[in-house]
Amino acid sequence: MTITYRVDVEDAHAHLFRVTLRVPRPAAEQRLSLPVWIPGSYLVREFARHLSDLKAEQGGQPVPLAQIDKATWLASCRGRGELTVTARVYAFDTSVRCAFLDAQRGFFNGTGLCLRVEGREAEPQRLQLGTLPRGWQAATAMRAVKVDAAGRGVYEAADYDELVDHPFELGSFWRGRFEAHGVPHEFVVAGALPDFDGERLLADARRICEAQIAFWHGARKPKAAPAPFERYVFLLNTCEDGHGGLEHRASTALLSARRNLPQRGRSETSDGYVELLGLISHEYFHTWNVKRLRPAEFASYDYTHENYTQLLWFFEGFTSYYDDLILRRCGLIDTPRYLKLLARTVSGVAATPGREVQSVAQASFDAWVKYYRSDENTPNATISYYAKGSLVALALDLTLRRDGSSLDEVMRALWAASGGGPIAEADIAAALQRCGGRSYAKELAEWVHGRDELPLKGLLYSAGVEWQAQPATLAQRLGLRVSESALTGIKATHVLRGGAAEAAGVAAGDEILAVAGWRVRRLDEAQRLMTPGQGSEWLVARDQRVLTLAVTLPRDAALGAPVQLAADAKPGKAAQALREAWLGR
């Protein structure tokens, strides 16, 4: 008496999956619905828009299937005989959140394919991979019931939540395996070039996984450290351009530019590869911090509408803090490189006017309509709870370390106190007080719920890190963000609040043609044509009109100069000890 789903590749060229749902002993009026969002990505995505040709039957006879809202259907059943529902699903979204299908590759999350049998969500659910193109494999972390060597066959989940928390990768892909503290891990890579160095990726991923398991549970040798999963699967799709990831309970779906993969015969660590390793570290850390430790509001997901929380600064921001930090601690990057990455975040937050408009707690709540629906005004209206949340974590960590504790201890204390379950902000405050020996209510009020600047300069100095202001680019001095290409020229993408570009009337979408009578094709070229404190004539194109604007170049960046961070070569003993405890030796 198990609810079952069968997924077939109906037409790869038309990007169509065929999904068949079988419901034993259905209700007389059986409601079926498709989620409107996927946990971990806070936007209503309306997956039902990709469904078509829904049909229902019992015993070979048609069953009336009425649509009652955008994502819900009502099957009027006759008796308790098995209900069969079929649907086509259009799949052509290359992101990690939806579904994709073409002649080379397939991918899906259950939230986009599997109708929820309302009232039966707690029952076991099975998924069978049916017709697949010749030579294709399948990879997933869902428990296999009966599958062949290529991974094709039947899988089972304990309930609907688990069913939709195991994405599937389909196609001809590279796969490799390793163990981290005795736990099996699998890495799947689609779209890689022939010179991809899989062994290096496995070795580096293993170091990340071992460091994180030890972070949360301690490294017990020779006995394996515990982990909240029996096996883990990385599903990495590589393409010409792209970056992203989505966490799941025992796997993650990753997207990266294929040029970021390591290459055989090349030992250097490129910035792109560091970006990929940071993504791997980020999503793996989520296995603990958001998939198990999670906002109290997410104790039970409601798939029909937005699920609000003010805690994304903790679950996304603190994860963003630890992703690169763990790369440093396990030796995949050195201290100068880590500080360079940290300085980029510090500078980016300082150059975002929205930090004075919304706190990270407010930004978390508004993620559904602001962060995930970004536009030309987003930097002026909100702040990234990823970026500023990571800096809140940094500030708390360095403060705790001066108090004789650390954020590491707080994270482990939260895990132990909650049993790896839902938590509220009061639990975070309690763990901070328990570990730090005092209340951190003032810091939480100012840094999380307030909009004041974080005291990072002094805290970093206490950890033996020098803070050096750097010269601002022309765009930073003007409060302007642009895109540049030979095809479209210089286009203003964002005009920042309070900057000189806004004061002069520059608007997002303007094409910058000339400055002081000279044609410019890169904004930096205009630096030589402008004098600080004086106005310059800009020629811009807007809606087929050519406008003349008077732009005055300020002497400094209105939103704060970019920052460079460097390890003090001769720190005091206390600062050196704090830095080594924080970053590792």
Side-chain angles (χ1 to χ4, degrees):
M1 300 293 289
T2 302
I3 293 169
T4 63
Y5 302 82
R6 178 184 168 111
V7 177
D8 293 278
V9 172
E10 179 172 281
D11 189 336
H13 295 299
H15 319 295
L16 291 175
F17 286 110
R18 167 71 69 173
V19 182
T20 303
L21 165 64
R22 299 186 185 278
V23 185
R25 299 180 61 82
E29 296 291 314
Q30 182 61 64
R31 287 171 60 99
L32 307 166
S33 60
L34 198 68
V36 303
W37 70 291
I38 182 169
S41 184
Y42 308 105
L43 177 68
V44 172
R45 297 188 181 275
E46 312 292 19
F47 296 121
R49 64 197 171 100
H50 297 305
L51 266 63
S52 63
D53 195 27
L54 273 73
K55 296 177 182 176
E57 64 174 41
Q58 281 180 295
Q61 298 300 310
V63 169
L65 191 62
Q67 186 169 3
I68 58 176
D69 64 30
K70 63 183 180 181
T72 307
W73 291 262
L74 189 67
S76 299
C77 300
R78 303 181 182 91
R80 304 303 298 275
E82 183 177 77
L83 171 67
T84 301
V85 180
T86 60
R88 285 192 176 114
V89 181
Y90 178 74
F92 202 55
D93 187 323
T94 57
S95 77
V96 297
R97 299 173 289 265
C98 303
F100 178 83
L101 179 64
D102 68 5
Q104 285 72 49
R105 173 181 177 261
F107 172 82
F108 65 85
N109 291 286
T111 44
L113 270 68
C114 299
L115 287 164
R116 182 167 57 101
V117 183
E118 296 193 8
R120 307 279 292 275
E121 295 90 343
E123 297 179 20
Q125 325 256 321
R126 284 193 172 185
L127 189 146
Q128 178 185 0
L129 292 176
T131 305
L132 298 177
R134 184 184 299 274
W136 276 26
Q137 308 174 74
T140 183
M142 193 181 296
R143 186 177 70 84
V145 175
K146 185 178 181 181
V147 301
D148 62 18
R152 294 169 298 191
V154 179
Y155 296 85
E156 185 171 74
D159 51 33
Y160 185 81
D161 281 347
E162 183 183 346
L163 176 81
V164 299
D165 206 13
H166 289 300
F168 279 75
E169 178 71 31
L170 310 171
S172 299
F173 45 72
W174 179 92
R175 67 199 312 168
R177 296 177 174 86
F178 63 88
E179 286 194 357
H181 287 299
V183 180
H185 289 65
E186 183 175 19
F187 218 116
V188 167
V189 183
L193 293 170
D195 63 352
F196 154 57
D197 189 345
E199 294 307 311
R200 181 179 179 186
L201 180 64
L202 290 180
D204 292 345
R206 179 180 180 178
R207 289 169 70 173
I208 292 169
C209 296
E210 288 185 334
Q212 293 199 17
I213 293 173
F215 174 92
W216 288 101
H217 306 291
R220 304 180 192 171
K221 295 182 179 181
K223 185 178 179 181
F229 43 80
E230 294 182 356
R231 60 185 287 265
Y232 192 92
V233 182
F234 294 95
L235 305 174
L236 171 60
N237 177 39
T238 61
C239 56
E240 183 177 4
D241 281 297
H243 179 81
L246 189 62
E247 67 276 1
H248 298 277
R249 65 184 62 195
S251 63
T252 180
L254 306 169
L255 177 67
S256 177
R258 60 176 60 91
R259 63 179 174 273
N260 291 347
L261 290 171
Q263 295 176 248
R264 287 194 301 271
R266 301 186 66 174
S267 60
E268 69 270 21
T269 302
S270 67
D271 288 345
Y273 187 44
V274 170
E275 180 181 68
L276 173 57
L277 293 176
L279 177 65
I280 291 167
S281 181
H282 183 98
E283 302 304 334
Y284 194 68
F285 198 85
H286 270 321
T287 312
W288 290 266
N289 193 41
V290 89
K291 294 309 299 182
R292 284 153 179 97
L293 274 181
R294 59 191 185 277
E297 297 88 346
F298 293 176
S300 178
Y301 293 122
D302 186 336
Y303 295 103
T304 65
H305 56 73
E306 298 89 340
N307 290 215
Y308 294 101
T309 179
Q310 288 195 347
L311 289 178
L312 296 181
W313 59 270
F314 178 85
F315 291 100
E316 292 292 355
F318 281 38
T319 299
S320 296
Y321 171 62
Y322 277 108
D323 53 21
D324 289 336
L325 180 57
I326 284 171
L327 298 186
R328 169 65 199 97
R329 289 179 178 176
C330 68
L332 289 171
I333 58 175
D334 59 17
T335 293
R337 198 161 203 168
Y338 172 72
L339 293 177
K340 181 179 178 181
L341 294 170
L342 184 58
R344 184 188 306 166
T345 303
V346 171
S347 300
V349 169
T352 303
R355 77 191 190 285
E356 298 178 344
V357 177
Q358 278 201 314
S359 68
V360 283
Q362 292 171 318
S364 299
F365 194 84
D366 272 347
W368 299 87
V369 295
K370 290 197 174 182
Y371 185 82
Y372 276 89
R373 292 190 183 278
S374 61
D375 58 26
E376 71 285 346
N377 191 50
T378 295
N380 297 321
T382 189
I383 187 66
S384 167
Y385 48 80
Y386 285 88
K388 189 175 179 183
S390 72
L391 299 183
V392 170
L394 169 66
L396 281 171
D397 195 6
L398 296 181
T399 301
L400 284 159
R401 289 180 186 279
R402 293 200 307 193
D403 293 343
S405 182
S406 71
L407 191 60
D408 302 3
E409 293 182 20
V410 172
M411 302 301 287
R412 288 189 285 267
L414 282 166
W415 179 266
S418 68
I423 61 172
E425 186 172 326
D427 299 307
I428 299 170
L432 285 166
Q433 181 164 352
R434 188 161 59 252
C435 294
R438 67 172 179 86
S439 171
Y440 290 79
K442 182 176 183 291
E443 286 86 351
L444 291 176
E446 293 179 355
W447 301 348
V448 173
H449 296 279
R451 292 166 288 176
D452 295 339
E453 300 296 337
L454 300 173
L456 295 178
K457 187 174 182 179
L459 289 168
L460 286 165
Y461 179 78
S462 71
V465 175
E466 296 178 343
W467 177 294
Q468 302 164 351
Q470 298 298 296
T473 64
L474 179 60
Q476 291 167 335
R477 291 170 70 177
L478 295 171
L480 190 62
R481 297 181 186 177
V482 301
S483 65
E484 298 174 333
S485 76
L487 183 64
T488 61
I490 308 169
K491 279 204 168 181
T493 59
H494 303 84
V495 179
L496 303 182
R497 189 66 40 79
E502 181 188 56
V506 179
D510 284 358
E511 181 184 357
I512 301 167
L513 304 174
V515 174
W518 290 84
R519 182 77 167 96
V520 290
R521 290 176 174 82
R522 295 181 62 253
L523 188 62
D524 283 346
E525 295 173 0
Q527 185 113 4
R528 300 168 61 186
L529 306 170
M530 302 181 71
T531 302
Q534 296 182 16
S536 295
E537 188 177 89
W538 281 31
L539 211 61
V540 305
R542 180 188 305 166
D543 190 26
Q544 295 187 302
R545 297 172 179 169
V546 176
L547 307 175
T548 302
L549 305 176
V551 181
T552 300
L553 176 64
R555 300 185 183 279
D556 300 303
L559 297 169
V563 168
Q564 178 177 305
L565 302 177
D568 188 342
K570 296 181 179 180
K573 289 185 178 180
Q576 183 173 347
L578 196 158
R579 189 173 72 199
E580 289 180 353
W582 167 41
L583 299 180
R585 291 180 179 272

